[in-house]
């Protein structure tokens, strides 16, 4: 399958059409942004790691009953995926307080929840991706109640699977962001990526941050952290 016209260029990926109208090719870049694009940089090798990590995790989720857009890894940075219409929601699942949750509610980072939480943001750069509740989602027709049910179920199932897997790697899954899409027949599937760009991953023993917070917060060792997470994933992903 060949890349044809580029139809989208985002912060971390380029997306191309193929001869098959139902399939796209995603090409992962090393570019990193944070704070709604205010901070920009490069994380050398990130595109390769995010591509390979996302693909392995999506295949794991497929096996556990979460349908995904993954079709085939084509190269170090390129993957063939099912074409979807993205539901404009960031679906955030949290096991431990961190980031915007800690800021919003004034709770320390690291507070472990009894049960995971789920929240939605409206994906809209101009508005700064505002938090949105389910009645608001219905009111402005971002997703139907049935679609939201599926999204919630898949997101919480993904959390169970990913949390257990990262735990086996000695990594605590603090929180993560998912995006879902609709196939042409309306079926909801998981899309976008699952990587250290979109998850908070802390070393279970030392608490060391092994994710994009190293970039966001200028902690240094960004490339090493991504490589370490990938190394552990390879070691434990049979
Ligand atoms: N996240 C993301 N993209 C976004 C916002 C958040 O991938 O545009 C991820 C982030 O990496 C973290 C989780 O979602 O794993 C929760 O992020 P939070 O709401 O705490 O926002 P942040 O503190 O990153 O602004």
């Amino acid at each position: 399958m060949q890349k044809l016209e580029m139809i989208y260029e985002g912060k971390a990926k380029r997306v191309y059409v193929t001869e098959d109208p139902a399939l796209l090719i995603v090409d992962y870049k090393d570019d990193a942004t944070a704070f709604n694009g205010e901070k920009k940089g490069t994380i050398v090798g990130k595109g390769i790691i995010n591509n390979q990590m996302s693909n392995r995790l999506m295949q794991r989720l497929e096996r556990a009953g979460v349908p995904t857009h993954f079709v085939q890894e084509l190269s170090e940075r390129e993957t063939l995926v099912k074409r979807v219409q993205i539901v404009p929601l960031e679906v955030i699942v949290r096991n431990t307080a961190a980031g915007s949750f800690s800021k919003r509610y004034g709770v320390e980072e690291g507070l472990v929840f009894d049960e995971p939480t789920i929240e939605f943001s409206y994906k809209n750069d101009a508005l700064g991706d505002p938090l949105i509740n389910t009645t608001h989602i219905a009111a402005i027709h971002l997703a139907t109640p049935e679609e939201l049910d599926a999204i919630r179920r898949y997101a919480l199932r993904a959390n169970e699977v990913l949390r257990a897997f990262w735990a086996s790697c000695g990594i605590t899954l603090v929180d993560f962001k998912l995006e879902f899409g609709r196939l042409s027949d309306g079926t909801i599937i998981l899309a976008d990526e699952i990587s250290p760009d979109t998850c908070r991953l802390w070393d279970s023993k030392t608490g060391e941050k092994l994710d994009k917070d190293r970039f966001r917060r200028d902690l240094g060792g960004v490339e090493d952290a991504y490589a370490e997470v990938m190394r552990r994933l390879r070691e434990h992903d049979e």
Side-chain angles (χ1 to χ4, degrees):
M1 198 67 72
Q2 295 271 317
K3 288 199 281 203
L4 300 177
E5 187 199 348
M6 183 171 84
I7 52 162
Y8 170 82
E9 177 157 17
K11 295 157 197 155
K13 303 188 271 294
R14 294 190 185 95
V15 180
Y16 299 83
V17 290
T18 67
E19 307 93 90
D20 186 335
L23 298 174
L24 299 175
I25 292 174
V26 180
D27 190 340
Y28 285 75
K29 304 189 282 187
D30 286 350
D31 297 351
T33 63
F35 312 120
N36 204 7
E38 263 171 57
K39 184 181 169 91
K40 289 191 174 68
T42 303
I43 302 173
V44 178
K46 171 173 86 84
I48 296 173
I49 289 175
N50 286 10
N51 181 42
Q52 295 176 349
M53 186 176 300
S54 191
N55 291 342
R56 284 176 180 238
L57 295 175
M58 290 226 184
Q59 289 174 84
R60 181 170 286 273
L61 291 178
E62 285 274 357
R63 296 196 295 273
V66 178
T68 79
H69 72 168
F70 176 80
V71 177
Q72 192 192 348
E73 193 166 289
L74 299 176
S75 72
E76 277 189 333
R77 290 177 185 269
E78 296 166 311
T79 294
L80 190 64
V81 300
K82 293 177 187 167
R83 185 173 197 154
V84 293
Q85 176 195 46
I86 289 284
V87 177
L89 293 173
E90 295 196 336
V91 182
I92 295 173
V93 180
R94 303 176 189 271
N95 298 302
T96 300
S100 70
F101 184 97
S102 288
K103 213 169 163 188
R104 191 181 318 127
Y105 302 119
V107 296
E108 62 171 317
E109 289 206 311
L111 173 78
V112 180
F113 304 144
D114 298 338
E115 293 293 333
T117 69
I118 184 163
E119 74 205 43
F120 304 95
S121 291
Y122 175 27
K123 246 176 87 73
N124 184 317
D125 281 341
L127 299 176
D129 299 341
L131 200 61
I132 189 166
N133 76 25
T134 54
T135 68
H136 297 158
I137 291 169
I140 61 174
H141 303 300
L142 298 182
T144 67
E146 293 73 27
E147 288 176 334
L148 262 190
D149 275 352
I151 287 172
R152 197 184 290 102
R153 211 159 20 85
Y154 291 148
L156 292 173
R157 178 71 184 137
N159 183 49
E160 290 174 356
V161 174
L162 296 174
R163 194 181 189 183
F165 174 65
W166 284 122
S168 77
C169 303
I171 289 173
T172 301
L173 178 60
V174 171
D175 59 29
F176 59 97
K177 185 263 302 179
L178 299 177
E179 293 183 25
F180 291 85
R182 301 176 185 99
L183 292 174
S184 55
D185 68 359
T187 308
I188 292 284
I189 65 172
L190 180 62
D192 195 46
E193 68 176 282
I194 311 172
S195 71
D197 276 11
T198 64
C199 303
R200 284 197 171 91
L201 302 166
W202 293 356
D203 183 280
S204 307
K205 279 211 192 89
T206 65
E208 191 191 351
K209 296 185 197 322
L210 300 172
D211 56 60
K212 196 172 160 188
D213 272 347
R214 299 205 76 83
F215 169 77
R216 292 189 190 100
R217 302 180 188 188
D218 294 321
L219 299 176
V222 187
E223 279 88 358
D224 287 349
Y226 277 62
E228 175 61 14
V229 172
M230 190 64 208
R231 190 191 65 74
R232 292 204 210 172
L233 180 143
R234 278 184 204 291
E235 197 174 88
H236 294 89
D237 192 32
E238 66 292 286

